[in-house]
Amino acid sequence: MRTTKLYAGVAAAAFLIAAGASSAADATIKIGVATALTGAYGDLGQQVKRAVDFAVEEVNAKGGIDGRKVETQYQDTQAKADIARQQAEKLVNDGFTILTGSIASGEALGIAPMLERWDAVMMGTVPKADALTGAECSPRFFRANIPDYADAATVGTWLKEQSEKKWAIMGSDTAWGRNSGASFTKTASGLTRDIVAEGYAGLGTNDFAPYIQKILDSGAEGVWVALAGRDAINFAQQAKQFGLIDKLKVAGVSFVTDNTVKTLGDVSKGIYGIINYSSTLDTPANKAFVDAWAKKYPGTLPANFEGETYLGMQVLFAGIDKADSTSPEDIAEALEGIETDTIIGKISVRQADHQFVRGNFFGRIEDQDGTLRPVVATSVAADVAMPAADDACKL
Amino acid sequence: MLIQILNGLVYAGLLYIVSVGLVLIFGLRRVVNFAHGGFYMVGAYAGYTAAMVFGFWGGLIVAVLVLGLIGILLDYVVFRPLQNADHMVTVLVTFGILLVFEDVVQMIWGADTLSVLAPYPFDGTVQLGDILFPVYRLLVIAVAIAVALGLTLWLRFSRAGLYVRASSVDALTTGMQGVDTEKLSLSVVGLGTALAGLSGVIASPLLALSPSMGSSILIESFIVVVTGGLGSFAGAFIAALLIGQVHNLGIVYVPNVASMLPLLLMVVVLILKPTGFARSYS
């Protein structure tokens, strides 16, 4: 009796040691996702979560990256810069040194300068402020999505062909909204268009009526909208009630998304906008992705930021694979200049500023096969869509 | 300019309906009810779901009833046991309830933003001078006026109203006169939360539904309640009118400091008159 117990104990101990040893050999890859799970950008944070979960589940099903499993941990930032920084630091302290998830540019701008000190690396897939790969660029920060100045280049090709001369700007009063407004102003004045009204509404604004009335009073023929999440829906719904959407040409960024369409229905029909990613893109890789997505999340198509976050994860995983290491420093080094296949084709990561070099799209919300969705009208190739790196970035 | 003033009135109307529920509850229970934003949000969601079955107006009735019941429960389970506790304790508990509600709503309806269309026949626009104005916005003003009128009449002329006024001045003495203040506050808290439900449904064709909608209107309603004088109905009415205008005209004429103005107004009023616009019940 006593011996059996002893044997059992030894066996258990041996098993534990073996398990410990094997997990040390192929340490897991720990991705910390500090994102806006609640708040005015809560829907965008949930999109990031769905995309990261999807990508991680997929790669783990294939046995992980070089045999290393990927593990995630989430923290809620409410899209607030100060909370984002605390949550990111918490994740890093827990060993999750590969970060992603920022929604508002302010969040990423707060985290990026800390990355080297924390010995972490970060993949931005949503924040658009130019400074992240400009004056505030960091050797440890990479951006998968398309920044404002690049969106402006794509808008330029569209705006040239529009007859409207007088434009208004309706932006969110955040680093991103102001940045987008400034980029649009620059593009528009280069094309001899006038900006006749400008409004920037705080995050979580309830009543947009004064802004809408101001735009209507200004005599603008078109309006550029840089609002996202709940703000975008609030504005669109109220603008429709005031007749603004029917009267003016409405275009925007992060405004024409699958989400806006789902929520607004017919209200959104005919709105133009930058489409950074669309589930309708006709590449075999994208089709496979959309099919697999619908299996995991039945009845849904990957939305704009879900696509962008997923492709960010694709490149991140390729970088980890190339680095063959879980050290953030090695991963950052491997990501620099990497070229890899993604759902939107081959993408390279620019050495000078860590921006992904990729094409961009412009389109509008149309009825396609009986469902409203953002439909790509113009594809802009990477060489036009991604202007040269900002000199202000010194890596 | 006139249109902007009208827009200010719409927002004032909405703020008033939210705030007056807070005022009711504070008057009787002396509770600063942070959960009120949560009730407003739950009201909007409940109305949204019920509207699928009963239509917009049916949804409104369901939301008001459901929220009234939640209020009665709240008074029974939370306010009554805590009535002798420190004010800070109830503040914290109600704030906790707000957070719980946000998570529960997110679990049931998801974090995605939802929207509600204005009900027929209020879904069109009306020509005011040379400007088109959404009819639904006028309805919001009308509802706010109806709520204000109804409450005033009830407080002034009904027996229950008399009890409410009496017990918010001095609950102990009112109780000694034979008024069952416990029962009274049960129905008053219920009425307060029912008003939160009403405001949530009324707001839903204007504002998008999201779990964070409650906390975003709560701050502005508190500004209204504090500026008006805690517990004062007339004060809340005047404060809502004023803050609606300051908010709107600020955005039009001084956009860079607009978000600060309502807070600034509150600070100025409190410095000049620490009790807010009104001193007691009116």
Side-chain angles (χ1 to χ4, degrees):
Chain A
M1 189 63 197
R2 186 160 287 184
T3 27
T4 4
K5 254 191 186 160
L6 184 68
Y7 271 111
V10 171
F15 182 75
L16 281 177
I17 290 164
S22 80
S23 75
D26 44 23
T28 53
I29 294 155
K30 291 185 166 182
I31 300 183
V33 190
T35 195
L37 295 170
T38 64
Y41 286 168
D43 53 344
L44 302 180
Q46 296 292 336
Q47 289 180 23
V48 164
K49 183 172 188 308
R50 279 195 290 269
V52 171
D53 283 347
F54 177 88
V56 168
E57 202 170 288
E58 187 188 54
V59 79
N60 280 341
K62 287 180 191 155
I65 306 166
D66 283 338
R68 297 184 179 94
K69 290 276 182 195
V70 180
E71 194 186 325
T72 51
Q73 195 180 94
Y74 289 88
Q75 293 293 346
D76 185 13
T77 66
Q78 299 168 33
K80 289 174 185 159
D82 50 338
I83 302 180
R85 187 153 154 168
Q86 290 166 17
Q87 298 288 42
E89 188 165 14
K90 191 161 170 248
L91 287 165
V92 169
N93 288 338
D94 287 348
F96 290 81
T97 49
I98 305 168
L99 296 170
T100 188
S102 288
I103 305 291
S105 292
E107 299 179 70
L109 284 166
I111 296 170
M114 309 303 293
L115 291 169
E116 275 189 288
R117 190 183 305 170
W118 292 343
D119 190 20
V121 62
M122 177 164 178
M123 178 64 72
T125 66
V126 178
K128 279 176 167 289
D130 297 344
L132 279 167
T133 48
E136 302 289 322
C137 72
S138 151
R140 296 292 182 85
F141 181 83
F142 295 81
R143 172 152 52 193
N145 61 307
I146 294 186
D148 285 322
Y149 67 93
D151 278 338
T154 297
V155 169
T157 61
W158 173 79
L159 193 61
K160 242 186 338 222
E161 285 151 23
Q162 309 306 313
S163 57
E164 287 78 10
K165 294 284 175 203
K166 288 193 265 181
W167 287 81
I169 293 170
M170 177 73 245
S172 112
D173 196 6
T174 58
W176 161 65
R178 296 254 172 199
N179 195 188
S180 173
S183 299
F184 184 79
T185 306
K186 206 169 135 199
T187 308
S189 47
L191 296 165
T192 65
R193 263 66 171 180
D194 290 326
I195 303 297
V196 292
E198 257 181 293
Y200 295 94
L203 203 62
T205 290
N206 285 312
D207 193 13
F208 280 92
Y211 300 100
I212 293 167
Q213 199 58 50
K214 215 170 151 184
I215 294 169
L216 288 170
D217 290 345
S218 72
E221 301 159 291
V223 55
W224 174 255
V225 186
L227 296 170
R230 175 167 184 259
D231 296 339
I233 309 271
N234 257 345
F235 172 74
Q237 193 169 342
Q238 294 170 22
K240 177 78 176 180
Q241 289 168 353
F242 275 95
L244 183 147
I245 291 198
D246 300 318
K247 222 164 103 189
L248 271 61
K249 188 163 274 180
V250 182
V253 57
S254 302
F255 190 45
V256 186
T257 65
D258 309 74
N259 246 50
T260 350
V261 181
K262 198 173 83 190
T263 310
L264 293 168
D266 278 340
V267 172
S268 62
K269 199 170 170 178
I271 295 178
Y272 290 87
I274 292 274
I275 299 172
N276 296 140
Y277 165 82
S278 165
S279 56
T280 59
L281 292 174
D282 199 8
T283 67
N286 186 51
K287 279 189 174 149
F289 166 59
V290 171
D291 287 345
W293 183 273
K295 274 199 194 95
K296 180 161 164 64
Y297 305 111
T300 66
L301 295 167
N304 187 71
F305 287 123
E306 287 168 342
E308 290 208 281
T309 301
Y310 178 72
L311 82 85
M313 291 301 112
Q314 283 190 303
V315 176
L316 175 66
F317 294 164
I320 297 172
D321 189 31
K322 186 177 154 199
D324 194 19
S325 157
T326 53
S327 137
E329 194 180 357
D330 297 345
I331 295 168
E333 205 172 297
L335 279 171
E336 270 193 9
I338 199 173
E339 226 184 282
T340 181
D341 283 317
T342 70
I343 43 169
I344 61 165
K346 213 168 205 52
I347 276 183
S348 63
V349 178
R350 193 154 59 190
Q351 211 134 20
D353 62 350
H354 290 183
Q355 172 63 46
F356 284 25
V357 179
R358 42 176 287 216
N360 204 353
F361 313 95
F362 202 90
R364 65 188 294 188
I365 295 171
E366 282 171 19
D367 205 328
Q368 204 188 43
D369 314 324
T371 43
L372 278 176
R373 58 170 72 160
V375 177
V376 172
T378 327
S379 296
V380 183
D383 53 338
V384 178
M386 193 58 66
D390 187 348
D391 292 338
C393 171
K394 306 258 183 286
L395 286 178
Chain B
M1 175 75 184
L2 273 175
I3 289 292
Q4 290 292 13
I5 290 177
L6 198 58
N7 271 327
L9 276 180
V10 176
Y11 199 54
L14 188 60
L15 280 181
Y16 172 71
I17 317 175
V18 181
S19 312
V20 80
L22 274 171
V23 172
L24 264 175
I25 294 171
F26 182 83
L28 233 81
R29 276 296 187 199
R30 301 282 148 192
V31 164
V32 179
N33 182 19
F34 272 83
H36 206 68
F39 296 138
Y40 159 84
M41 170 199 56
V42 171
Y45 276 91
Y48 169 85
T49 300
M52 291 179 181
V53 187
F54 306 111
F56 182 83
W57 302 111
L60 187 131
I61 293 167
V62 171
V64 167
L65 290 177
V66 168
L67 267 294
L69 284 177
I70 294 182
I72 290 172
L73 200 70
L74 176 84
D75 190 61
Y76 200 75
V77 178
V78 181
F79 292 165
R80 191 173 296 184
L82 290 180
Q83 58 184 329
N84 294 321
D86 191 72
H87 282 317
M88 205 53 211
V89 174
T90 21
V91 166
L92 286 176
V93 168
T94 56
F95 190 61
I97 294 173
L98 171 68
L99 297 179
V100 169
F101 273 26
E102 283 186 354
D103 275 353
V104 168
V105 164
Q106 185 154 334
M107 258 163 58
I108 300 175
W109 283 279
D112 284 354
T113 313
L114 305 172
S115 81
V116 173
L117 291 177
Y120 179 83
F122 302 101
D123 51 352
T125 50
V126 59
Q127 189 89 31
L128 295 177
D130 51 354
I131 284 165
L132 287 173
F133 198 76
V135 180
Y136 189 79
R137 290 189 168 253
L138 296 177
L139 181 74
V140 173
I141 300 180
V143 171
I145 293 173
V147 168
L149 260 176
L151 267 179
T152 311
L153 292 177
W154 181 66
L155 287 170
R156 279 285 161 91
F157 298 110
S158 75
R159 185 154 284 270
L162 177 73
Y163 293 163
V164 170
R165 281 184 291 148
S167 83
S168 32
V169 174
D170 188 341
L172 191 66
T173 316
T174 315
M176 282 156 63
Q177 309 286 329
V179 175
D180 187 346
T181 49
E182 291 294 297
K183 213 156 128 194
L184 191 65
S185 69
L186 209 61
S187 49
V188 167
V189 172
L191 181 63
T193 53
L195 280 168
L198 173 76
S199 53
V201 180
I202 289 294
S204 58
L206 292 181
L207 315 176
L209 268 61
S210 75
S212 64
M213 69 187 285
S215 24
S216 86
I217 204 149
L218 188 67
I219 296 172
E220 277 155 328
S221 340
F222 270 130
I223 298 178
V224 167
V225 172
V226 172
T227 313
L230 270 168
S232 160
F233 292 94
F237 187 75
I238 297 167
L241 277 177
L242 205 65
I243 282 164
Q245 293 308 333
V246 164
H247 169 88
N248 259 46
L249 298 176
I251 287 168
V252 179
Y253 296 107
V254 278
N256 288 332
V257 292
S259 56
M260 234 184 340
L261 289 181
L263 287 162
L264 217 60
L265 177 79
M266 176 178 79
V267 171
V268 170
V269 168
L270 289 186
I271 289 172
L272 296 178
K273 205 162 178 291
T275 48
F277 286 147
R279 210 154 26 85
S280 65
Y281 277 83
S282 44

